[in-house]
Amino acid sequence: MTPSSMYEIKRRYELLEELRKELIKCSDEGDIILVEGKRDVSSLRSLGIHGIIKKVTHIPLLDLSEKLREMDRCVIILTDWDRRGNMLAEKISTDLEYMDVDVDTSIRNRFVSLVQKEIKDVESLDRHMKKMKDTVLQQY
């Protein structure tokens, strides 16, 4: 591994770690995280996120949107970054914004920019970050 590629991995890991801490802080402050499935929930839990995580599958989006509006919290959309996940994020975001719910898609967008070449889903985040951390630690 070249020094420049090692530097790139270390830098991306540091940015992912900052993003993980930001997500934990938002969750601890009461923001609601939306994911697609139970493996996504497991991945986020193993990354230290203990707040409310809701699965958007298996519930009609209108019902979900109304429940979220009643909760009066910021909603962080964290769907996968494949074609289906992108479409779902757009649909949910549009619906919630129409209902005057505070929506955050920036965290998802930043995760995508950092990992989309290696992984395509939320469920892989915990393993991916562990692998990156191990790579960085082996070099030092």
Side-chain angles (χ1 to χ4, degrees):
M1 190 175 300
T2 67
S4 63
S5 63
M6 190 57 222
Y7 174 80
E8 178 63 26
I9 291 171
K10 184 176 187 282
R11 182 69 188 132
R12 279 191 306 121
Y13 175 74
E14 290 168 350
L15 292 170
L16 280 170
E17 185 59 26
E18 287 174 22
L19 195 50
R20 182 188 74 86
K21 289 176 182 173
E22 180 181 341
L23 192 58
I24 290 171
K25 182 177 182 278
C26 291
S27 179
D28 288 350
E29 290 174 354
D31 293 358
I32 300 165
I33 301 169
L34 299 184
V35 297
E36 292 181 54
K38 64 183 178 187
R39 287 190 213 131
D40 299 336
V41 175
S42 296
S43 177
L44 293 179
R45 294 287 184 223
S46 73
L47 288 173
I49 291 134
H50 303 292
I52 301 170
I53 303 173
K54 293 205 170 282
K55 294 176 287 198
V56 298
T57 50
H58 310 299
I59 181 170
L61 285 181
L62 183 60
D63 293 349
L64 176 69
S65 297
E66 287 178 359
K67 284 180 182 175
L68 292 169
R69 182 181 64 194
E70 290 169 9
M71 294 175 85
D72 195 29
R73 303 277 184 179
C74 178
V75 174
I76 299 170
I77 298 175
L78 200 54
T79 56
D80 297 342
W81 32 98
D82 56 9
R83 187 173 174 272
R84 181 177 180 271
N86 290 336
M87 290 174 21
L88 198 53
E90 183 64 35
K91 173 77 174 122
I92 295 167
S93 178
T94 301
D95 288 358
L96 291 176
E97 286 171 353
Y98 178 77
M99 295 180 148
D100 285 331
V101 175
D102 186 17
V103 177
D104 181 335
T105 56
S106 70
I107 291 175
R108 177 182 182 272
N109 294 338
R110 286 183 283 159
F111 270 121
V112 170
S113 72
L114 290 169
V115 300
Q116 71 180 343
K117 292 177 183 170
E118 292 90 13
I119 60 172
K120 64 176 179 28
D121 49 38
V122 174
E123 76 180 60
S124 303
L125 268 176
D126 59 339
R127 288 187 310 273
H128 182 67
M129 286 187 69
K130 183 182 182 330
K131 187 174 143 186
M132 288 180 81
K133 181 179 182 179
D134 290 347
T135 301
V136 168
L137 289 176
Q138 285 175 358
Q139 297 298 313
Y140 296 99

